[in-house]
Amino acid sequence: MNSRQKGAAGERELAKVLRDYGYECRRGQQYCGSNGDADVVGLPGIHIECKRVEKLNIQNALSQAQNDAKPGEIAAVFHRKNREPWKVTVDLEDFMRLYEAAGELFQK
């Protein structure tokens, strides 16, 4: 499997996981393939860069997501290695925006 096929498979896998959480997600580039499109779409306000690799330069991936994100979107890298769970990387400022938006969930 070449890297393009592996990337597409990772995007389909992530989209399925997010659909299992109840979101109507799909690969973003399968229809138009334009540069700057999110790899997976369906989480409003989040620009998803999907990486399904064993070795990841997280800073390059996050920079790519930030450069491609539309104004107001949170740039996020969803990534995983073989036999590992999915992880999400965002800048601290964006994490705090998410945390504050979910604030009532964490107050007891």
Side-chain angles (χ1 to χ4, degrees):
M1 178 181 301
N2 68 34
S3 62
R4 177 171 280 177
Q5 290 170 325
K6 186 172 182 179
E11 292 165 7
R12 284 190 296 273
E13 177 188 339
L14 177 59
K16 182 189 179 315
V17 169
L18 295 173
R19 283 194 306 273
D20 290 345
Y21 278 97
Y23 297 93
E24 292 185 29
C25 293
R26 62 170 174 77
R27 287 185 60 218
Q29 296 183 1
Q30 65 183 345
Y31 296 109
C32 58
S34 302
N35 270 348
D37 288 343
D39 290 340
V40 175
V41 296
L43 291 182
I46 307 293
H47 181 92
I48 297 175
E49 184 67 31
C50 177
K51 298 295 184 185
R52 180 70 173 77
V53 295
E54 294 304 300
K55 293 187 179 192
L56 175 62
N57 183 325
I58 193 63
Q59 187 55 53
N60 285 353
L62 190 55
S63 291
Q64 180 181 354
Q66 290 166 336
N67 290 334
D68 293 345
K70 294 179 178 95
E73 286 184 324
I74 290 176
V77 180
F78 287 63
H79 52 100
R80 89 173 189 88
K81 295 180 179 184
N82 291 334
R83 296 174 295 282
E84 293 285 332
W86 282 98
K87 295 171 179 63
V88 180
T89 299
V90 296
D91 275 344
L92 176 62
E93 182 178 321
D94 289 329
F95 173 81
M96 293 309 299
R97 285 174 50 200
L98 293 169
Y99 186 81
E100 289 167 3
E104 290 183 21
L105 297 174
F106 300 106
Q107 295 177 4
K108 295 184 180 195

